[in-house]
């Protein structure tokens, strides 16, 4: 059985079929791209896999365990963590505090520990680890910046940092480079590569930016109108007629 | 201001405040001392209400929970004749259990639906108090709740609670304990995960925080301390009835929290303090009080939505702005 596998996943919103009978298998350590025109159903797919939505039918398994229908926090606890297409962060906290909150799964946070004062962000271990993650993602200078004062690019980076702080095995990134300038994009691409290479995290990457996807992914799954249109290596996808037509139809192009 | 000088300031001012409260019985009249006791109980209540607000859940049933603690105290102390050291913990636990029963259905709702549903649940409990003469005493409530007792006349550890100074100190101890515990929770990792729920529920859930469970837990902890406030109140006033825990009191509680703010730990304290002072100063105008407090509530919501706790930052910003204007002009 694959590390992460999706079988005949379907989601209907009333009459609209946002995901139709999607299947895929992802191996451990892979960086898998999921692409498709606007409204193809990519975010819906993430919402299903991460437990935000309940599938109409179909099944998702992760490390041999069925996770479809589970609560999001349980799926995160198992090690499958997603980021958001929008910048999502805890705006009243600093960068380091954001990461630190995201670490809570691996700490001894409990009511009793809170009351007796054995539970705070200054525990040496987790603080060290939080700093490591922040620095790793190239945000060392911004450790103590309030999250809502960060630039757009850094806010997206912080989103990835927080997901990483939960120590996931499967990281699902929803358009991590959306709205970034080319410099910021390069940083993010580099980061995703390192996340896989250094920490062995399997990555599912939803992205519109073709260069990013083609550079990073070993294998790409293409969605269109909620259905799986094609799957293969970047070269296969680049030359796939159906894919080219889907993108031309959507007034976009595969380059 | 640097962080360390700020905490020194904080320490010094807390010491001054504590010194005042310890000395109070020698400084004020017996009547004022009773008001001060009620003030301390209100501090517990407001601070426990603020705990709920950290996850973004504002309820309309907190006074009812306080009432549950008070009724439990009345029943256990008067009918069962139990001593205070059994009555008070039991009253807190009973309130916590009722909170759990409230929180389970309420955690399925959010925002306005949560607010209104909490009101409905609270009113249900109030009707139970009104309808069941046994053991709640109906509209008349429970009278003649025995005074708290520690020892009996003649024993060396005897404390006479007919002397209101002693009950004042008793309440002061519980108020400080509550503040210490809630302050620690506020500064803890757990406290931060609760605040994160308020900022972005979806993000919290995605990083593995069980939002539903957390909200239920906060509700129960908050209820526990509301129960403590109720238990102290029952011992203090000796008789309770459903009118003690009505919507007007609930609205006052909300006003304290709006006026002071709930983002920081100090907000509700500032709110209770300032509003209690205004409450006392307006005693001659008692008829106008509801209108006055309504006006204050509206003014704060419109002009200072974050409450008094945000005032220093606002003033700083204002000074900064006029400073730069002068610089450029
Ligand atoms: N909660 C919902 N209720 C109803 N319809 C929805 C909901 N979520 C998504 N949809 C619809 O499902 C379809 C797929 O949307 P989705 O957000 O998954 O697309 P996407 O591939 O992520 O698009 P984009 O590239 O623009 O982010 C769209 O038609 C959208 O309107
Ligand atoms: Mg999307």
């Amino acid at each position: 059985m694959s590390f992460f596998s999706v079988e005949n996943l379907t989601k209907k919103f009333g009459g609209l079929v946002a995901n139709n009978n999607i299947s895929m298998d992802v191996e451990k350590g892979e960086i898998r791209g999921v692409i498709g025109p606007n409204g193809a159903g990519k975010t819906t797919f993430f919402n299903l896999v991460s437990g935000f939505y309940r599938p109409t039918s179909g099944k998702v398994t992760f490390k041999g365990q069925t996770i479809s229908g589970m609560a999001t926090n349980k799926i995160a606890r198992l090690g499958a963590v997603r980021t958001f297409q929008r910048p999502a962060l805890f705006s009243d906290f600093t960068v380091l505090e954001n990461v630190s909150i995201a670490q809570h799964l691996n700490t001894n946070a409990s009511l009793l520990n809170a009351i007796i004062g054995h539970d705070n962000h200054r525990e040496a271990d987790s603080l060290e680890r939080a700093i490591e993650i922040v620095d790793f993602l190239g945000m060392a200078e911004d450790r103590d910046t309030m999250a809502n004062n960060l630039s757009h690019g850094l806010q997206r980076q912080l989103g990835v940092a927080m997901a990483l702080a939960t120590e996931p095995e499967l990281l699902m990134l929803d358009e991590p480079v959306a709205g970034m300038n080319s410099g910021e994009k390069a940083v993010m691409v580099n980061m995703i590569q390192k996340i896989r290479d250094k920490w062995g995290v399997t990555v599912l990457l939803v992205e519109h930016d073709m260069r990013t996807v083609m550079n990073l992914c070993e294998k790409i799954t293409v969605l269109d109108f909620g259905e799986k249109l094609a799957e293969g290596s970047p070269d296969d996808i680049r030359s796939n007629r159906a894919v080219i037509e889907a993108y031309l139809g959507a007034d976009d192009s595969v380059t | 201001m640097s962080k360390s000088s700020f905490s020194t300031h904080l320490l010094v001012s807390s010491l001054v405040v504590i010194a005042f409260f310890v000395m109070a019985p020698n400084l004020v009249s017996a009547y004022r001392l009773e008001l001060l006791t009620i003030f301390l109980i209100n501090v517990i209540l407001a601070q426990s209400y603020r705990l709920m607000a950290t996850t973004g859940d504002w309820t309309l049933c907190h006074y009812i929970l306080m009432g549950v603690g008070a009724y439990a105290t009345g029943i256990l102390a008067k009918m069962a004749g139990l001593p205070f050291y059994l009555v008070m913990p039991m009253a807190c636990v009973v309130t916590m259990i009722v909170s759990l029963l409230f929180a389970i259905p309420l955690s399925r709702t959010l925002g306005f639906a949560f607010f209104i549903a909490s009101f409905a649940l609270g009113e249900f409990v109030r009707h139970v108090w009104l309808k069941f003469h046994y053991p709640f005493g109906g509209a008349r409530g429970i009278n003649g709740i025995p005074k708290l007792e520690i020892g009996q006349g003649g024993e060396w550890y005897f404390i006479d609670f007919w002397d209101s100074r002693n009950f004042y100190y008793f309440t002061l101890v519980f108020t400080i304990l509550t503040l210490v515990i809630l302050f620690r929770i506020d500064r803890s990792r757990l406290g931060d995960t609760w605040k994160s729920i308020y900022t972005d529920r979806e993000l919290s859930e995605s990083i593995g925080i069980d939002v539903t469970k957390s909200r239920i837990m906060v509700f129960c902890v908050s209820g526990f301390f509301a129960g403590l406030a109720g238990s102290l109140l029952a011992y203090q006033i000796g008789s309770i009835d459903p009118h003690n825990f009505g919507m007007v009191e609930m609205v006052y509680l909300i006003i304290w929290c709006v006026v002071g703010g709930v983002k920081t730990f100090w907000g509700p304290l500032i709110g209770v303090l300032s509003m209690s002072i205004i409450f006392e100063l307006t005693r001659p105008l008692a008829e106008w009080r509801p209108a006055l407090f309504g006006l204050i509530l509206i003014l704060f919501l419109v002009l200072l939505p974050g409450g008094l706790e945000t005032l220093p930052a606002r003033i700083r910003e204002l000074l900064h702005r006029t400073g730069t204007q002068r610089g450029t002009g």
Side-chain angles (χ1 to χ4, degrees):
Chain A
M1 170 154 296
S2 298
F3 178 65
F4 172 74
S5 117
V6 176
E7 284 168 51
N8 308 321
L9 198 63
T10 298
K11 178 69 185 176
K12 293 182 184 160
F13 294 112
L16 182 94
V17 188
N19 272 192
N20 193 7
N21 220 21
I22 296 176
S23 299
M24 73 166 79
D25 287 292
V26 177
E27 298 307 326
K28 198 170 169 54
E30 200 182 325
I31 300 183
R32 168 68 63 97
V34 178
I35 65 171
N38 285 105
K42 305 179 296 292
T43 298
T44 303
F45 178 72
F46 268 17
N47 281 332
L48 287 172
V49 169
S50 61
F52 274 86
Y53 295 160
R54 196 172 274 276
T56 308
S57 63
K59 190 169 128 179
V60 182
T61 55
F62 173 60
K63 297 194 291 184
Q65 209 166 337
T66 302
I67 58 170
S68 33
M70 258 190 206
T72 301
N73 73 79
K74 301 274 173 349
I75 295 175
R77 272 157 214 259
L78 281 175
V81 175
R82 60 90 58 92
T83 66
F84 295 85
Q85 192 167 345
R86 62 184 170 90
L89 36 80
F90 301 128
S91 48
D92 296 339
F93 294 90
T94 67
V95 166
L96 199 58
E97 283 167 344
N98 267 273
V99 172
S100 177
I101 291 172
Q103 283 179 307
H104 76 109
L105 285 181
N106 307 303
T107 60
N108 57 352
S110 73
L111 190 60
L112 188 66
N113 279 334
I115 294 170
I116 63 177
H118 264 265
D119 153 25
N120 63 54
H121 300 295
R122 278 135 216 102
E123 305 146 41
D125 290 359
S126 54
L127 184 64
E128 201 175 296
R129 179 111 178 103
I131 291 176
E132 188 193 350
I133 291 170
V134 170
D135 293 359
F136 173 70
L137 296 186
M139 301 177 79
E141 283 168 26
D142 293 299
R143 270 183 214 159
D144 298 318
T145 309
M146 294 301 280
N148 54 351
N149 293 337
L150 292 173
S151 70
H152 176 81
L154 287 176
Q155 290 194 349
R156 314 282 332 229
Q157 240 156 286
L158 178 56
V160 177
M162 291 169 74
L164 214 50
T166 65
E167 310 198 355
E169 290 177 61
L170 175 68
L171 184 60
M172 299 178 268
L173 303 171
D174 197 347
E175 303 201 19
V177 305
M180 285 188 169
N181 63 38
S182 56
E184 289 170 333
K185 274 183 194 170
V187 172
M188 183 64 91
V189 166
N190 193 305
M191 237 159 66
I192 296 169
Q193 191 82 52
K194 276 204 248 166
I195 287 169
R196 197 267 307 268
D197 296 345
K198 185 175 168 196
W199 286 338
V201 178
T202 307
V203 178
L204 263 184
L205 176 67
V206 161
E207 194 43 78
H208 273 297
D209 189 79
M210 286 306 156
R211 272 172 66 102
T212 304
V213 179
M214 297 289 169
N215 282 342
L216 273 172
C217 304
E218 286 91 26
K219 207 170 171 186
I220 296 171
T221 303
V222 186
L223 302 184
D224 189 26
F225 292 113
E227 297 192 23
K228 183 159 118 180
L229 188 68
E231 191 166 85
S233 70
D235 285 333
D236 294 343
I237 296 301
R238 215 178 267 132
S239 55
N240 185 306
R241 279 217 70 78
V243 175
I244 294 170
E245 269 165 28
Y247 270 90
L248 286 177
D251 214 16
D252 207 332
S253 57
V254 187
T255 43
Chain B
M1 199 187 310
S2 80
K3 262 204 170 135
S4 65
S5 88
F6 180 70
S7 41
T8 333
H9 274 286
L10 209 63
L11 191 68
V12 171
S13 33
S14 345
L15 285 178
V16 170
V17 172
I18 290 175
F20 167 75
F21 278 102
V22 171
M23 299 298 291
N26 305 317
L27 303 174
V28 304
S29 67
Y31 166 71
R32 283 272 152 78
L33 195 64
E34 300 223 343
L35 290 181
L36 219 49
T37 308
I38 299 285
F39 169 79
L40 292 175
I41 294 173
N42 287 342
V43 164
I44 297 177
L45 191 69
Q47 205 53 255
S48 65
Y49 190 63
R50 185 237 164 203
L51 184 69
M52 294 266 343
T54 56
T55 62
D57 288 333
W58 288 67
T59 71
L60 268 176
C61 64
H62 209 64
Y63 247 91
I64 299 291
L65 294 178
M66 184 194 201
V68 171
Y71 269 93
T73 301
I75 292 166
L76 292 167
K78 187 184 173 190
M79 299 181 187
L82 295 176
F84 83 94
Y85 52 84
L86 293 179
V87 170
M88 288 183 59
M90 283 166 82
C92 293
V93 170
V94 166
T95 315
M96 199 160 82
I97 292 168
V98 172
S99 303
L100 179 67
L101 295 177
F102 276 26
I104 290 170
L106 284 177
S107 67
R108 302 181 145 267
T109 63
L110 281 172
F112 186 66
F114 178 91
F115 193 60
I116 293 303
S118 71
F119 170 70
L121 280 175
E123 283 307 292
F124 173 77
V125 169
R126 209 140 62 97
H127 272 272
V128 171
W129 292 337
L130 280 166
K131 291 289 166 211
F132 290 89
H133 285 262
Y134 186 84
F136 302 113
R140 291 254 205 90
I142 301 176
N143 302 311
I145 299 168
K147 280 265 172 212
L148 205 137
E149 277 180 348
I150 297 180
Q152 284 172 344
E155 283 173 287
W156 62 269
Y157 53 87
F158 171 64
I159 299 175
D160 181 6
F161 281 100
W162 288 101
D163 183 345
S164 59
R165 277 182 297 183
N166 289 330
F167 190 76
Y168 167 81
Y169 281 123
F170 186 80
T171 308
L172 184 61
V173 168
F174 279 98
T175 308
I176 292 174
L177 259 177
T178 302
L179 290 180
V180 168
I181 291 174
L182 292 182
F183 183 74
R184 288 203 155 181
I185 291 178
D186 187 62
R187 293 302 144 103
S188 72
R189 189 178 273 285
L190 193 69
D192 278 352
T193 59
W194 290 347
K195 286 176 215 158
S196 80
I197 293 173
Y198 170 70
T199 328
D200 192 329
R201 208 164 20 85
E202 288 191 336
L203 179 58
S204 300
E205 190 64 38
S206 81
I207 57 170
I209 295 172
D210 191 331
V211 170
T212 306
K213 204 174 113 194
S214 300
R215 289 172 71 211
I216 292 175
M217 191 163 162
V218 171
F219 205 118
C220 291
V221 176
S222 170
F224 181 92
F225 288 101
L228 174 64
S231 188
L232 288 168
L233 184 76
Y235 275 125
Q236 156 79 4
I237 58 183
S239 68
I240 48 168
D241 67 68
H243 303 293
N244 291 122
F245 311 105
M247 198 33 68
V248 177
E249 282 71 22
M250 186 65 227
V251 172
Y252 276 117
L253 175 57
I254 291 176
I255 292 176
W256 298 335
C257 290
V258 169
V259 166
V262 293
K263 269 272 162 63
T264 70
F265 188 77
W266 314 108
L269 298 179
I270 300 167
V272 182
L273 182 64
S274 53
M275 287 300 100
S276 302
I277 291 171
I278 292 181
F279 193 87
E280 284 316 309
L281 292 180
T282 53
R283 214 161 260 282
L285 307 166
E287 286 166 61
W288 291 95
R289 238 191 233 143
L292 178 71
F293 276 73
L295 189 67
I296 291 175
L297 179 63
I298 291 168
L299 284 178
F300 268 89
L301 287 173
V302 173
L303 300 176
L304 198 61
L308 288 172
E309 67 181 10
T310 61
L311 209 52
R314 273 167 198 259
I315 292 173
R316 226 176 295 136
E317 196 185 322
L318 209 67
L319 289 178
H320 183 72
R321 211 183 302 153
T322 53
T324 49
Q325 262 168 11
R326 222 177 288 130
T328 53

